[in-house]
């Protein structure tokens, strides 16, 4: 799609309206179609300094490695990035920082969802104001709401710009019913759905023209090649982005998929991002600092990771340092930051 055509579609379809004094060169919004075309999106890790503040130098290195190895987008401040452990000031700052440093090379999707519609609206306004290309929105958790309430909640944020809705009932305790998604699908800003329920649900959507990304690394190969998913929003690609890109772009590859299963299983033996944080520390890419309530995997599991890196090949993992087991005393747990 040409830039001019993309611009025209944005003006025609998006609820966002330009002030009259704006010209084409001032228009920085990303078209929904640009988001729909993404195949590999990494839910990027947020690293910390020993006092618990963001380690932006390490963060920049992680994002740069994603770009070099072919990821097309990053989710900033998602579950993997521990957005739920951030203040909103931290959250929006990190989205803006990512756009400022990398927005020309990779799509920046800010997690601005909340169980409070008011907070979701405010955070999304701020996220688009600092330049994010799209928003990620979860359904209201804990308190939950009715199906009609879900539609109203999502409609309140869809008007602002390209949006991916995220369905992960294992965390929210409420499945987003397909009726909700089909109601929202006609919105010009509905980019698609990150779906964690499974591949049968994915096929139900893709058969009806809804763009879906698999939210499960262990199912994403089959989701992509057998069930019509556009791609994956991945945790594993933090570690092996090149292999995950091959899985999403290289055609059916059951042997590579099988090769990655031990790593993927290891990553999700405890609630994400515990294992990922541990692994990136062992690879020397981030300081071994954990914001509580997360704590590192125990020694035996860290030893398993060292063996997996050797079996898959160190060259396939991000970074250049030798993988280490690390001692328990190497880890720093931060409760106040």
């Amino acid at each position: 799609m040409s830039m001019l055509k993309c611009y025209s579609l944005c003006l025609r379809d998006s609820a966002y309206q330009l002030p009259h004094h704006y010209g084409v060169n001032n228009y920085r919004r990303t078209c929904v179609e640009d988001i729909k075309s993404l195949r590999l999106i990494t839910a990027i890790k947020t690293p910390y300094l020993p006092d618990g503040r963001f380690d932006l130098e390490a963060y920049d290195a992680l994002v740069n490695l994603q770009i070099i190895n072919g990821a097309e987008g990053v989710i900033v401040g998602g579950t993997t990035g521990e957005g739920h452990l951030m203040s909103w000031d931290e959250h929006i700052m990190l989205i803006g920082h990512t756009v400022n440093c990398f927005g020309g090379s990779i799509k920046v999707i800010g997690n601005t969802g909340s169980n409070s519609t008011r907070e979701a609206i405010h955070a999304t306004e701020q996220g688009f104001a600092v330049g994010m290309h799209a928003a990620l929105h979860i359904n209201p958790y804990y308190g939950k709401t009715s199906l009609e309430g879900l539609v109203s909640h999502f409609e309140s944020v869809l008007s602002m710009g390209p949006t991916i809705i995220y369905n992960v009932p294992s965390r929210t305790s409420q499945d987003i019913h397909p009726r909700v998604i089909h109601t929202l699908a006609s919105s010009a800003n509905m980019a698609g759905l990150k779906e964690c329920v499974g591949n049968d649900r994915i096929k139900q959507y893709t058969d009806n023209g809804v763009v879906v990304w698999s939210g499960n690394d262990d199912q994403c190969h089959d989701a992509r090649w057998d069930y019509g998913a556009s791609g994956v929003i991945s945790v594993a690609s933090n570690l092996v982005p090149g292999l995950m890109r091959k899985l999403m772009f290289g055609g059916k590859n059951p042997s590579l998929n099988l090769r990655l299963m031990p790593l993927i299983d290891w990553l999700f033996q405890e609630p994400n991002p515990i294992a990922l944080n541990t692994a990136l520390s062992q690879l020397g890419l981030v300081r071994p600092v954990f914001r509580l309530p997360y704590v590192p995997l125990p020694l035996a599991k860290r030893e398993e990771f060292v063996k997996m890196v050797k079996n898959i090949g160190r060259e396939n993992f991000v970074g250049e340092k030798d993988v280490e087991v690390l001692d328990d005393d190497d880890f720093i747990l931060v409760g106040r930051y």
Side-chain angles (χ1 to χ4, degrees):
M1 181 181 293
S2 71
M3 183 178 297
L4 183 58
K5 185 177 180 182
C6 183
Y7 168 74
S8 299
L9 284 173
C10 282
L11 284 182
R12 185 190 68 199
D13 295 335
S14 176
Y16 178 83
Q17 298 294 320
L18 287 175
H20 293 299
H21 62 276
Y22 269 59
V24 173
N25 291 334
N26 298 110
Y27 189 73
R28 299 183 59 202
R29 288 287 175 126
T30 293
C31 289
V32 174
E33 296 302 319
D34 292 337
I35 303 301
K36 289 181 176 180
S37 69
L38 303 179
R39 300 291 176 258
L40 177 59
I41 302 170
T42 298
I44 196 74
K45 150 74 176 168
T46 306
Y48 305 113
L49 296 167
D51 61 4
R53 292 179 298 122
F54 293 161
D55 185 345
L56 291 178
E57 183 177 355
Y59 177 82
D60 290 351
L62 292 179
V63 176
N64 193 52
L65 284 168
Q66 292 300 312
I67 294 169
I68 290 171
N69 287 282
E72 301 169 292
V74 287
I75 304 290
V76 179
T79 305
T80 304
E82 301 178 18
H84 48 289
L85 302 186
M86 298 177 189
S87 69
W88 279 116
D89 283 346
E90 288 181 313
H91 212 131
I92 300 303
M93 180 274 283
L94 191 61
I95 293 171
H97 172 82
T98 310
V99 172
N100 184 51
C101 294
F102 303 104
S105 301
I106 198 166
K107 296 301 182 189
V108 179
I109 303 161
N111 169 32
T112 54
S114 173
N115 60 347
S116 161
T117 304
R118 177 183 61 84
E119 285 192 6
I121 290 171
H122 185 57
T124 304
E125 286 174 338
Q126 291 185 319
F128 280 121
V130 298
M132 70 181 184
H133 301 113
L136 180 74
H137 279 281
I138 202 164
N139 50 307
Y141 45 88
Y142 184 68
K144 302 188 289 187
T145 186
S146 63
L147 297 189
E148 291 77 12
L150 289 177
V151 171
S152 294
H153 174 83
F154 288 126
E155 284 180 341
S156 296
V157 292
L158 271 164
S159 63
M160 300 180 195
T163 299
I164 298 172
I165 293 176
Y166 179 18
N167 186 34
V168 56
S170 64
R171 290 188 182 268
T172 65
S173 76
Q174 183 182 35
D175 183 21
I176 302 176
H177 194 279
R179 190 161 78 244
V180 173
I181 300 303
H182 290 306
T183 300
L184 300 170
S186 60
S187 169
N189 284 326
M190 176 67 168
L193 177 70
K194 177 184 177 182
E195 181 58 76
C196 296
V197 164
N199 287 342
D200 288 338
R201 176 70 67 83
I202 286 176
K203 190 173 190 301
Q204 182 178 347
Y205 288 128
T206 58
D207 283 350
N208 287 280
V210 177
V211 172
V212 185
W213 293 270
S214 174
N216 299 326
D217 281 320
D218 61 337
Q219 298 178 342
C220 70
H221 171 268
D222 293 349
R224 172 81 172 99
W225 302 111
D226 296 328
Y227 292 87
S230 293
V232 63
I233 297 178
S234 175
V235 175
S237 57
N238 278 276
L239 299 175
V240 286
L243 295 183
M244 292 303 295
R245 180 179 171 88
K246 188 174 182 181
L247 212 59
M248 292 297 101
F249 282 83
K252 294 185 74 168
N253 194 335
S255 61
L256 175 58
N257 190 48
L258 186 62
R259 183 182 171 197
L260 289 173
M261 277 304 125
L263 173 64
I264 292 170
D265 290 342
W266 183 89
L267 278 171
F268 294 97
Q269 60 194 295
E270 295 288 355
N272 179 50
I274 292 170
L276 175 65
N277 293 353
T278 305
L280 287 170
S281 297
Q282 291 184 248
L283 291 169
L285 282 160
V286 304
R287 290 177 169 87
V289 179
F290 282 65
R291 281 186 175 183
L292 290 169
Y294 296 124
V295 297
L297 290 179
L299 178 63
K301 297 298 182 182
R302 301 199 299 268
E303 291 173 341
E304 286 180 15
F305 180 67
V306 171
K307 293 176 183 177
M308 268 188 291
V309 171
K310 292 177 181 178
N311 289 337
I312 295 173
R314 177 64 184 88
E315 69 279 5
N316 292 309
F317 286 77
V318 290
E320 298 178 352
K321 295 181 180 179
D322 291 337
V323 60
E324 297 183 274
V325 174
L326 298 180
D327 295 326
D328 289 343
D329 291 341
D330 290 331
F331 292 94
I332 300 171
L333 309 182
V334 183
R336 300 181 68 176
Y337 42 86

